Amino acid sequence: GLTTESWLGHPKGLSLLKSTEPQQVYILALGINDASDNGVPVGNFADIQNKPNTFLGNYSRIISEIQTHAPSAKIIISTLANKEKVEYNNAILELAEYYHIPAVRQDQNGFFQSYQYQYGMVVGHPTAPLYGGMAVAMEEMLTNCILNNSSYFRALSL
């Protein structure tokens, strides 16, 4: 239930990152609450470097904090499933390009675009079968992301 802004101050966000051992891979899937919260503006490309209180600025700060905490870690970022939130997905893809990190595209995945997923929510949240489908879809997308970006992941020792 965190936005990129609240992640920076929440106990399960930045402070948790800093208090744990560095990991080898971080998967970032933020933005759905930013897109539905209507609190902080998306911002623009300059916000990636300047890091003001915008979606792009806050997300850029999160990526920078991860890179500082775990400099050899690999990062994967995910778009939102919602194709209607084009400005958020475009911002996420800008971050991926700027930081040279691979992105998985929920907005182009068959499961996340299916009628079952789009209309199977209860009060805006997935049901147990949808969570199962999400796990399968994410595993497939992450596997393909790693295989399609083998040079990025080459230095990773598991």
Side-chain angles (χ1 to χ4, degrees), residues 10 12 25 29 35-36 56 64 71-73 77 95-96 114 116 125 129 133 150:
H10 194 278
K12 291 187 177 180
V25 177
S36 62
L56 272 168
S64 294
S72 62
I77 197 167
L95 287 163
S114 70
Q116 177 186 10
H125 291 88
S150 59

Side-chain angles (χ1 to χ4, degrees), residues 3 23 43 80 109 140 147 154:
T3 63
Q23 301 298 304
L80 308 178
N109 177 272
E140 180 182 308
L147 292 173
R154 188 166 289 130

